[in-house]
């Protein structure tokens, strides 16, 4: 795992990680991750080569690759056109590009409903 | 009329059907839908409903329901039915799809979970071996009183009727988007790359009214809306 000058941690496309991932900085995953990802207050981006099989708890989640697991976002979820997501999404806001594939529930939780 | 005595059928020659004006490009058409209009009256006046959309993932539909405060589940059953691992053989040795495996991987929800199921044109394009098992599963995941909307081609539609995606753009208005051709590049035995063009999904059969009534025989009621575009809209209530 590398950390760019911008403070973004990156998991390259040849990296395979199994287990619990947690942190307090934004994370970019272009490799394989299996387990769970907890980034409360920070964002997760699954790159176009990324294959994530994990439950995700983060502030924001952007998916360009494949994500198999439930997403809990305290802010927003963006599914880009190449995204393939299998799992339930809970967020305050969601954006889904044409071409993205989702198998699962979308539950928008308004901030005033908390 | 039907083997289910409580079943009642109403025939409407409504104003459903496509508009001549295309929307947002040549591949999208808008059509009025009486069945959708009837469903909309319910979901626009209620809160926190649970909706299952069985078409291709539609950002428009997801936005439509989440803006109304409902929960939406999206599951593209037609694409899921193309999984090669589903292929098996029946007792006569004919190639069929394994409905048990299909239902073990798809439509896995608690009983009586949904208020609405949007089937769109799924039954017309789904493999024969999956249609009845899927409808049976849909009955079990719908709440009593829950409603299901499905579209069926009439005989006049012809076997080449394109498979569409449906986006909800108004209370009784749908945007139809033809499922585009898929180009598959494969390397042949000589190493040359061949580009196969498949037409997506083919119309599998044409149900008549009796077939449709039999298909939904376990449901409490069924209502037909005849559209102008050789489509029969069917609204069933569990």
């Amino acid at each position: 795992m590398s950390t760019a000058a911008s403070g973004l941690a990156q998991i390259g496309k040849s990296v395979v990680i199994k287990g619990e991932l947690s942190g307090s900085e934004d994370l970019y995953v272009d490799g394989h991750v299996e387990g769970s990802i907890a980034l409360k207050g920070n964002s997760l981006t699954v790159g176009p080569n990324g294959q994530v099989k994990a439950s995700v708890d983060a502030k924001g989640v952007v998916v360009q690759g494949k994500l198999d697991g439930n997403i809990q976002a305290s802010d927003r979820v963006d599914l880009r056109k190449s995204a393939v997501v299998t799992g339930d999404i809970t967020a305050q806001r969601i954006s889904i590009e044409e071409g993205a594939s989702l198998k699962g529930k979308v539950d928008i939780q308004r901030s005033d409903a908390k | 009329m039907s083997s289910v005595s409580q079943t009642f059928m109403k025939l409407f020659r409504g104003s459903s059907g496509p508009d001549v004006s295309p929307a947002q490009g040549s591949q999208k058409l808008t059509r009025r839908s009486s069945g959708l209009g009837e469903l909309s009256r319910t979901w626009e006046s209620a809160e926190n409903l649970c909706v299952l959309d069985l078409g291709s993932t539609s950002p428009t539909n997801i936005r439509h329901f989440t803006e109304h405060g409902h929960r939406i589940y999206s599951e593209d059953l037609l694409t899921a039915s193309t999984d090669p691992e589903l292929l098996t053989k029946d007792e006569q040795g004919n190639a069929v799809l394994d409905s048990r495996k299909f239902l073990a991987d798809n439509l896995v929800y608690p009983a009586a979970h949904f208020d609405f199921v949007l089937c769109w044109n799924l039954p017309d394009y789904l493999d024969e071996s999956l249609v009845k098992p899927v409808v049976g599963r849909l009955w079990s995941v719908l709440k009593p009183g829950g409603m299901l909307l499905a579209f069926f081609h009439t005989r006049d539609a012809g076997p080449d009727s394109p498979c569409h995606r449906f986006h909800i753009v108004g209370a009784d208005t749908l945007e139809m988007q033809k499922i585009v051709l898929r180009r598959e590049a494969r390397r042949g035995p000589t190493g040359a790359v061949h580009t196969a063009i498949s037409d997506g999904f083919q119309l599998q059969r044409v149900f008549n009214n009796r077939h449709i009534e039999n298909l939904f025989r376990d449901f409490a009621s069924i209502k037909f809306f005849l559209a102008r575009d050789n489509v029969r809209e069917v609204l069933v209530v569990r």
Side-chain angles (χ1 to χ4, degrees):
Chain A
M1 184 154 38
S2 65
T3 305
S6 60
L8 177 77
Q10 298 193 32
I11 295 174
K13 59 184 177 184
S14 66
V15 178
V16 178
I17 294 177
K18 291 187 180 182
E20 293 180 18
L21 261 177
S22 62
S24 54
E25 57 191 302
D26 294 345
L27 177 63
Y28 182 91
V29 177
D30 213 23
H32 293 236
V33 174
E34 199 172 320
S36 66
I37 299 174
L39 298 170
K40 290 189 176 175
N42 294 92
S43 296
L44 169 73
T45 300
V46 180
N49 302 300
Q51 295 201 25
V52 174
K53 200 170 185 178
S55 58
V56 175
D57 189 349
K59 181 183 177 193
V61 179
V62 179
V63 185
Q64 297 169 287
K66 192 173 179 185
L67 195 154
D68 195 345
N70 296 336
I71 301 173
Q72 173 88 42
S74 57
D75 187 15
R76 66 178 293 147
V77 172
D78 288 328
L79 304 188
R80 300 288 163 80
K81 61 183 178 185
S82 53
V84 179
V85 175
T86 304
D88 297 341
I89 298 173
T90 306
Q92 280 194 38
R93 292 176 289 168
I94 186 166
S95 156
I96 302 175
E97 281 186 7
E98 188 67 36
S101 167
L102 168 67
K103 180 180 177 181
K105 175 178 71 170
V106 176
D107 194 0
I108 300 299
Q109 297 200 328
R110 312 284 175 200
S111 54
D112 55 347
K114 283 182 181 175
Chain B
M1 185 169 68
S2 165
S3 57
V4 183
S5 58
Q6 290 118 333
T7 297
F8 62 92
M9 185 179 81
K10 294 179 182 176
L11 282 170
F12 291 82
R13 187 165 291 280
S15 56
S16 301
D19 261 342
V20 285
S21 57
Q24 295 180 21
S26 59
Q27 288 198 329
K28 290 182 179 178
L29 294 168
T30 55
R31 85 186 289 280
R32 286 198 59 206
S33 166
S34 301
L36 179 72
E38 190 146 328
L39 291 182
S40 292
R41 282 191 284 279
T42 307
W43 66 52
E44 285 179 359
S45 61
E47 287 182 359
N48 206 23
L49 298 173
C50 209
V51 182
L52 176 60
D53 184 344
L54 295 178
S56 303
T57 305
S58 166
T60 311
N61 294 354
I62 290 171
R63 186 169 59 246
H64 179 85
F65 287 106
T66 54
E67 281 178 353
H68 283 86
H70 306 313
R71 280 167 295 156
I72 179 168
Y73 290 68
S74 175
E75 186 163 358
D76 185 353
L77 280 196
L78 213 46
T79 300
S81 72
T82 62
D83 182 353
E85 291 187 8
L86 292 172
L87 266 178
T88 184
K89 291 191 174 178
D90 64 10
E91 292 165 353
Q92 284 78 42
N94 302 316
V96 293
L97 299 186
D98 185 342
S99 62
R100 286 189 180 184
K101 177 166 173 45
F102 183 75
L103 290 180
D105 297 339
N106 300 282
L107 287 175
V108 182
Y109 302 106
H113 192 63
F114 294 103
D115 297 283
F116 297 103
V117 173
L118 302 171
C119 257
W120 307 123
N121 53 13
L122 174 72
D124 272 358
Y125 293 90
L126 197 61
D127 187 83
E128 182 71 36
S129 50
L130 299 181
V131 174
K132 283 186 178 175
V134 163
V135 171
R137 176 65 63 85
L138 291 176
W139 181 90
S140 70
V141 300
L142 260 175
K143 292 176 181 173
M147 291 192 266
L148 177 151
L149 178 65
F151 297 161
F152 293 87
H153 289 83
T154 63
R155 192 159 296 162
D156 300 330
D160 298 326
S161 301
C163 187
H164 286 103
R165 302 172 60 195
F166 294 89
H167 309 286
I168 301 169
V169 292
D172 65 349
T173 311
L174 289 169
E175 193 173 73
M176 297 174 10
Q177 184 181 12
K178 186 178 173 182
I179 293 182
V180 292
L181 298 173
R182 290 179 302 170
R183 293 174 185 273
E184 295 172 6
R186 289 182 185 157
R187 197 169 289 280
T190 61
V193 174
H194 303 276
T195 303
I197 300 175
S198 61
D199 214 352
F201 300 101
Q202 297 285 317
L203 188 65
Q204 297 294 307
R205 69 199 73 75
V206 174
F207 290 92
N208 61 31
N209 280 356
R210 185 180 292 182
H211 291 146
I212 295 171
E213 286 171 14
N214 279 334
L215 190 60
F216 296 110
R217 68 201 308 168
D218 293 332
F219 288 75
S221 71
I222 181 167
K223 190 185 279 189
F224 289 80
F225 301 88
L226 298 182
R228 293 173 184 157
D229 54 347
N230 299 320
V231 169
R232 199 186 278 115
E233 297 188 8
V234 176
L235 193 59
V236 292
V237 179
R238 179 185 161 179

